[in-house]
C-alpha cells in the first residue's frame, strides 16, 4: 500500500487540554483521494494537518512515504519575488508551457507571471500558491481554507481546478465548493472520526441517519440510566434502614453484612450508569441561535443609476437598488469591483465622489460585522467593554455557537482556531436589539454547523440585512434580493 497514509492508535492533546483532541484514531487514506476534512471549529482540523507534516508530537504510528506540502505558505515579507519566481522556487525544473497551462486552468492571464507577488490580489495569490503545489507531481497537498480570499467566480474556478487533480486533503466550510470535487470526507466529530465515500451531501445524509439512530439509542440509554439510578438509591436506602432497625448484636452483624453487599451492588450499578452515560456524547448539540430583531421604520436604501467614482471613473456599472424593512440584500461581484467600498459608503465610513441619485436612511441600532483583521481585537478586548448583564448574554451566544464554556475564563483567544476567533466577532454582532444587520464575509472560517445555525436564525427572525458573502450555499438560502456589481471598463 505504498503511498497511502496509514494511521494507527493516534492520540494527541495540547498541554492546556484536559481531554485529548484525538484518541486512539485508526485511519487509512488512499493517495489518490480528493479528501474533504470537515468538523466544527476547534475540533483539530489544522492540527491534523500539522501532525501529518510532523510538526507536533503525538502517540501512535503514522506511516506514509508521501511528501506533504501545506497551503497556504506565503513567501517571506523580505522576499521581493515575481509570481514566476515564486512558482519556480519550489519547482526549478518545470517548463514554461507547464506553468502557462496551469494559469489557463486557473483563469489567470499570462502577464501575471511578471508581476510582483506581494502586489497581487488575495485571490490571485491563492491561485498561484495552489498551482505551485500541483506543479510538483511528487507532493501531496494539504490545503487549509483556500476559499477565504476567493470571490464566487474564483471558488468555482478553483473547485473545477481541484476536480481535475487527485491526491490531496482540503479543509473548507463551503459546501458548494467542496461538492465540486471531493470524493471522500473525513469528519472530526465530538467523540470519533468518520471516513465516508462520497461528497458533502453524502456525508450530511449519512450523518443525519446516524444521529437519528443515536437519538433513539440515547433515549433508551437515558431510560436505563434512570432505572439504574433508582435501583442504586433503593439499595443504599434499604441497607441503611436495615442496619439501623435493630439493636441486637447478631442482627446488626447480619445487617452490616447485608449493608456491605448493598454497597457493592450500588457501586456496580453506578459503574453501569457511568458506562452508559459515556455513550451519550457523539451527537452534535446545535442550539437555536438567539437573534433579537427589530425592523427599521423607513426604506433603508435608494439608489438610481448610482456608482462610486474613482479618479473620475465609475468603480462599477450604475445600479438601481431599493432596500425595505425585512429585505435581505446581498451584493455580489468579483474581488476588487467595489463591494466592500460600497458597504463602507453606506455606513458613512468614506466620503466618496458619486454619480446618480441615492438616499441612505440607516436606523439607530445597527449590527456591523466587517472584514476586520482578527489581530486588532480578541476575546478579552470584547469582554472588557461589556457590562455584567451583557457578558452573560455574550457568553450565552458564544456557547450557542459551539464555544466550550471552559474557554470563557481565558485571558486571550490567541490560541483559538480562526473559526473560534471569528465567533468572538459574530457573538458581538448578535448582541442586543438590532434593526439592520450589515455583515461583510460573515461565513469566513465558520464551520458548516454554525453557517446552518445562522441560516435557521435568519429565516426564523427575518432581519433586515445588507451583506457581502462568497459562500453560495449561505447566500442562496437567505437572500431576498441580490445585485452583481460589474466593472464599467
Amino acid at each position: 500500500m505504498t503511498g497511502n497514509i496509514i494511521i494507527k492508535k493516534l492520540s494527541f492533546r495540547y498541554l492546556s487540554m484536559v481531554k485529548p483532541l484525538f484518541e486512539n484514531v485508526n485511519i487509512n487514506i488512499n493517495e489518490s483521494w480528493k479528501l474533504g476534512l470537515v468538523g466544527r471549529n476547534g475540533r483539530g482540523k489544522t492540527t491534523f494537518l500539522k501532525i501529518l507534516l510532523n510538526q507536533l508530537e503525538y502517540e501512535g504510528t503514522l506511516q506514509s512515504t508521501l511528501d506533504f506540502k501545506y497551503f497556504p505558505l506565503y513567501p517571506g515579507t523580505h522576499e521581493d519575488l515575481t509570481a514566476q519566481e515564486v512558482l519556480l522556487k519550489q519547482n526549478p525544473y518545470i517548463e514554461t508551457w507547464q506553468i502557462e497551462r496551469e494559469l489557463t486552468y486557473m483563469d489567470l492571464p499570462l502577464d501575471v507571471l511578471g508581476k510582483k507577488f506581494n502586489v497581487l490580489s488575495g485571490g490571485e495569490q491563492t491561485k498561484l500558491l495552489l498551482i505551485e503545489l500541483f506543479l510538483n507531481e511528487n507532493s501531496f497537498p494539504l490545503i487549509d481554507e483556500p476559499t477565504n480570499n476567493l470571490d464566487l467566480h474564483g471558488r468555482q474556478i478553483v473547485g473545477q481546478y481541484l476536480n481535475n487533480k487527485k491526491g490531496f486533503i482540503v479543509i473548507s466550510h463551503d459546501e458548494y465548493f467542496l461538492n465540486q470535487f471531493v470524493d471522500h470526507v473525513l469528519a472530526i466529530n465530538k467523540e470519533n472520526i468518520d471516513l465516508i465515500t462520497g461528497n458533502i451531501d453524502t456525508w450530511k445524509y449519512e450523518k443525519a441517519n446516524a444521529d437519528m439512530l443515536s437519538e433513539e439509542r440515547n433515549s433508551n440509554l437515558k431510560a436505563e440510566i434512570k432505572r439504574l439510578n433508582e435501583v442504586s438509591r433503593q439499595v443504599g436506602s434499604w441497607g441503611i434502614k436495615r442496619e439501623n432497625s435493630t439493636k441486637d448484636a447478631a442482627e446488626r452483624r447480619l445487617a452490616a453484612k447485608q449493608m456491605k453487599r448493598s454497597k457493592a451492588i450500588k457501586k456496580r450499578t453506578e459503574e453501569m450508569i457511568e458506562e452508559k452515560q459515556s455513550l451519550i456524547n457523539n451527537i452534535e448539540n446545535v442550539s437555536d441561535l438567539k437573534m433579537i430583531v427589530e425592523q427599521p421604520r423607513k426604506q433603508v436604501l435608494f439608489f438610481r443609476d448610482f456608482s462610486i467614482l474613482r479618479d473620475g471613473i465609475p468603480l462599477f456599472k450604475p445600479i438601481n437598488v431599493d432596500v425595505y424593512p425585512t429585505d435581505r440584500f446581498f451584493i455580489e461581484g468579483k474581488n476588487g469591483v467595489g463591494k466592500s467600498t460600497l458597504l463602507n459608503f453606506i455606513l458613512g465610513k468614506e466620503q466618496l465622489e458619486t454619480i446618480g441619485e441615492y438616499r441612505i436612511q440607516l436606523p439607530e441600532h445597527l449590527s456591523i460585522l466587517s472584514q476586520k483583521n482578527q489581530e486588532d481585537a480578541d476575546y478579552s478586548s470584547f469582554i472588557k467593554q461589556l457590562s455584567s448583564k451583557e457578558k452573560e448574554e455574550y457568553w450565552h451566544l458564544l456557547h450557542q455557537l459551539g464555544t466550550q464554556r471552559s474557554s470563557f475564563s481565558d485571558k486571550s483567544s490567541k490560541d483559538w482556531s480562526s473559526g473560534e476567533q471569528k465567533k468572538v466577532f459574530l457573538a458581538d454582532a448578535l448582541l442586543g436589539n438590532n434593526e439592520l444587520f450589515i455583515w461583510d464575509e460573515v461565513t469566513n472560517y465558520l464551520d458548516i454547523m454554525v453557517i446552518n445555525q445562522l441560516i435557521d436564525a435568519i429565516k426564523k427572525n427575518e432581519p433586515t440585512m445588507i451583506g457581502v458573502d462568497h459562500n453560495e450555499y449561505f447566500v442562496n438560502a437567505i437572500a431576498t434580493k441580490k445585485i452583481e456589481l460589474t466593472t464599467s471598463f
Side-chain angles (χ1 to χ4, degrees), residues 389-456:
K389 184 179 179 181
E390 287 173 330
K391 283 180 186 177
E392 291 300 323
E393 185 182 353
Y394 185 71
W395 286 330
H396 178 63
L397 284 164
L398 278 178
H399 183 62
Q400 284 187 315
L401 291 167
T403 303
Q404 298 296 318
R405 291 190 187 277
S406 58
S407 301
F408 296 167
S409 59
D410 285 357
K411 297 296 183 184
S412 172
S413 58
K414 63 182 178 61
D415 294 327
W416 295 5
S417 71
S418 297
E420 290 175 304
Q421 290 173 9
K422 186 61 176 280
K423 291 175 186 177
V424 168
F425 292 84
L426 177 56
D428 181 67
L430 288 167
L431 271 177
N433 297 18
N434 296 293
E435 298 169 90
L436 177 64
F437 294 74
I438 303 180
W439 287 358
D440 191 4
E441 295 286 8
V442 63
T443 62
N444 275 2
Y445 300 109
L446 294 179
D447 63 59
I448 290 172
M449 290 185 180
V450 172
I451 291 171
N452 280 301
Q453 265 183 304
L454 282 175
I455 290 171
D456 290 342

Side-chain angles (χ1 to χ4, degrees), residues 126-158:
T126 292
K127 290 178 178 179
L128 284 165
L129 291 178
L130 286 170
I131 288 172
E132 178 192 12
L133 282 180
F134 286 100
L135 281 174
N136 184 347
E137 295 181 356
N138 296 319
S139 71
F140 188 92
L142 305 177
I143 305 169
D144 196 353
E145 297 277 14
T147 60
N148 289 328
N149 290 315
L150 297 174
D151 56 31
L152 180 57
H153 177 69
R155 292 184 187 209
Q156 292 169 344
I157 293 296
V158 172

